[in-house]
């Protein structure tokens, strides 16, 4: 995210292009696109200061439908292009659009390095647990037993968990949402407010090749009791407040507890702290069914960004000065560039 003063107020229409939207009828990508177009005006962003960068896949048609700068790049390499864009023009608001195959298979290494470097951008990973564009092969997130043209007898692979991957790569902001959720815009706003790499996994229904795979927690009606919407400073409650998430102090794992008469404190329900990385790891690994699906902002704890470090270093070098940026980063400090040298 960048601190920007908008030249003028915008409306969702200002973010729509004249291009025909070409996804399958009923695809979850339509809902995500509308959520983004509704959200951008509320961020104070402007189309001329925004760029959407994608790789390859159904989700990667996204830049065609946003009235901004955009790059439809090559398979798995959107993070590399985004890094170049941000370093060349740090004032741009950079969004990366990717999918489970694009980001976690051929692009897995690029995604990992973007997150550990902490480039200031937003990464939206559309997870439909399938390769849709290439006609339904199984993907890195497909569940065991998934039948597809490439796994006719069912997949035997253990799936990757995108948010666990992000945390393991050093991401400082990790969130989840799903395509038709009314809360998705709030998740996008939180990601944009974070300075650094903000990773958002969005469960997206592939109407053709993996229909309703998320129905148990993402159905428009009747699935609310299986959703745990996380908000900083609020207790982890779900099922209309009748259940909550507590810490099993003996096993050092999470557990579901019953909440009687709204007394969540007596039940030991945890209050969500977005800066608690250990709890974030446990939340993303909760087994759905036994637990609800954790949604919203799971982790948010900023640190200095890659682009700030590179720019400060270049300014220092050009001024003939040396700064130990490694020590600054290790301490988690921020700095300003003054007289051509980082302020320590």
């Amino acid at each position: 995210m960048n601190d920007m003063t908008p030249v003028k107020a915008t409306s969702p229409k200002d973010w729509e292009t004249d291009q025909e939207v070409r996804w399958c009828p009923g695809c979850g990508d339509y809902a995500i696109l509308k959520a983004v177009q509704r959200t951008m005006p509320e961020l104070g962003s402007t189309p001329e200061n925004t760029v959407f960068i994608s790789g390859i896949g159904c989700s990667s048609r996204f830049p065609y439908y946003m009235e901004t700068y955009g790059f439809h790049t090559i398979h798995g390499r959107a993070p590399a292009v985004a890094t170049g864009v941000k370093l060349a023009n740090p004032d741009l608001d950079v969004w990366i659009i990717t999918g489970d195959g694009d980001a976690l298979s051929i692009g897995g290494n690029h995604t990992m390095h973007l997150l550990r470097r902490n480039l200031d951008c937003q990464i939206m990973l559309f997870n439909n647990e399938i390769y849709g564009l290439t006609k339904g092969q199984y993907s890195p997130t497909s569940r065991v037993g998934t039948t597809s043209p490439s796994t006719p007898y069912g997949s035997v692979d253990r799936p990757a968990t995108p948010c666990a991957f992000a945390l393991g790569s050093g991401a400082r902001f990790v969130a989840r949402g799903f395509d038709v959720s009314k809360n998705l815009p709030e998740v996008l706003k939180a990601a944009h407010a974070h300075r650094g790499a903000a990773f958002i996994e969005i469960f997206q229904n592939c109407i053709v090749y993996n229909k309703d795979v998320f129905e148990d927690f993402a159905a428009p009606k009747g699935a609310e009791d299986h959703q745990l919407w996380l908000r900083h400073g609020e207790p982890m409650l779900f099922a209309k407040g009748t259940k909550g998430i507590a810490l099993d102090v003996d096993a050092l794992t999470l557990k579901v507890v019953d909440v009687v008469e709204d007394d969540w404190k007596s039940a030991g329900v945890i209050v969500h702290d977005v800066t608690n990385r250990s709890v974030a790891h446990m939340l993303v690994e909760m087994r759905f069914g036994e637990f609800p699906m954790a949604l919203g902002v799971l982790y948010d704890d900023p640190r200095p960004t890659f682009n700030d470090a590179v720019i400060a270093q270049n300014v220092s070098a050009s001024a003939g000065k040396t700064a130990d940026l490694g020590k600054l980063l290790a301490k988690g400090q921020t700095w300003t560039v003054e007289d051509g040298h980082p302020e320590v």
Side-chain angles (χ1 to χ4, degrees):
M1 191 276 294
N2 297 282
D3 295 326
M4 296 175 293
T5 302
V7 176
K8 63 182 187 313
T10 63
S11 70
K13 282 287 184 184
D14 293 318
W15 297 86
E16 299 176 7
T17 70
D18 60 0
Q19 300 296 299
E20 177 189 0
V21 182
R22 298 179 62 187
W23 287 312
C24 301
C27 176
D29 289 355
Y30 286 97
I32 301 172
L33 175 63
K34 285 299 182 184
V36 172
Q37 289 171 337
R38 289 197 308 270
T39 303
M40 298 307 287
E42 298 179 30
L43 299 177
S45 302
T46 56
E48 62 270 21
N49 204 52
T50 305
V51 57
F52 281 81
I53 301 170
S54 64
I56 295 295
C58 294
S59 64
S60 291
R61 295 193 60 79
F62 209 90
Y64 295 109
Y65 311 134
M66 294 296 298
E67 189 59 52
T68 65
Y69 292 107
F71 286 90
H72 188 183
T73 69
I74 56 177
H75 211 183
R77 272 62 176 184
V81 174
T83 300
V85 167
K86 189 67 178 181
L87 292 179
N89 189 347
D91 292 331
L92 283 176
D93 189 11
V94 177
W95 296 74
I96 296 174
I97 306 297
T98 187
D100 42 304
D102 185 60
L104 299 178
S105 184
I106 192 170
N109 58 331
H110 292 278
T111 305
M112 176 188 70
H113 294 306
L114 180 90
L115 293 171
R116 73 171 179 82
R117 286 172 174 153
N118 197 35
L119 186 79
D120 189 16
C121 64
Q122 295 76 230
I123 308 107
M124 295 171 58
L125 188 153
F126 297 17
N127 182 11
N128 56 17
E129 298 187 1
I130 208 75
Y131 279 104
L133 186 65
T134 50
K135 307 300 183 283
Q137 296 89 344
Y138 83 121
S139 83
T141 59
S142 296
R143 303 172 196 186
V144 173
T146 297
T147 56
S148 74
S150 53
T151 54
Y153 301 109
S155 171
V156 297
D157 284 11
R158 297 290 172 183
T161 304
C163 287
F165 174 90
L167 284 169
S169 299
R172 308 297 295 189
F173 180 100
V174 177
R176 272 194 190 134
F178 60 91
D179 48 14
V180 296
S181 171
K182 64 182 181 181
N183 294 324
L184 183 57
E186 295 305 314
V187 174
L188 298 176
K189 290 176 190 175
H192 189 262
H194 175 89
R195 184 164 179 81
F199 180 89
I200 315 119
E201 176 187 13
I202 304 175
F203 297 110
Q204 176 255 320
N205 185 30
C206 178
I207 197 76
V208 176
Y209 297 110
N210 215 13
K211 184 179 179 182
D212 297 337
V213 70
F214 306 119
E215 196 76 354
D216 289 344
F217 66 86
K221 294 182 179 179
E224 295 85 356
D225 287 354
H226 303 290
Q227 301 169 6
L228 172 64
W229 281 99
L230 298 161
R231 294 176 177 85
H232 181 64
E234 296 186 12
M236 297 185 187
L237 297 171
F238 66 102
K240 301 178 181 66
T242 62
K243 294 183 181 296
I245 301 297
L247 179 66
D248 186 327
V249 294
D250 294 323
L252 292 180
T253 58
L254 299 181
K255 63 181 179 179
V256 174
V257 294
D258 293 321
V259 177
V260 180
E261 296 181 350
D262 298 325
D263 190 3
W264 56 268
K265 290 185 179 179
S266 295
V269 174
I270 299 172
V271 173
H272 186 43
D273 176 2
V274 293
T275 66
N276 192 321
R277 193 175 186 86
S278 297
V279 173
H281 274 285
M282 290 191 279
L283 287 168
V284 301
E285 294 288 2
M286 290 193 310
R287 295 180 297 276
F288 181 71
E290 179 183 349
F291 291 90
M293 181 57 67
L295 300 163
V297 179
L298 289 82
Y299 181 64
D300 183 0
D301 189 16
R303 70 177 179 191
T305 66
F306 176 71
N307 38 290
D308 281 349
V310 170
I311 292 166
Q313 188 176 64
N314 288 345
V315 170
S316 295
S318 66
K321 300 178 181 180
T322 303
D324 194 339
L325 298 179
K327 288 184 178 179
L328 288 172
L329 287 170
K331 293 177 181 178
Q333 292 179 250
T334 58
W335 59 84
T336 59
V337 176
E338 186 174 1
D339 297 326
H341 194 271
E343 183 179 86
V344 182

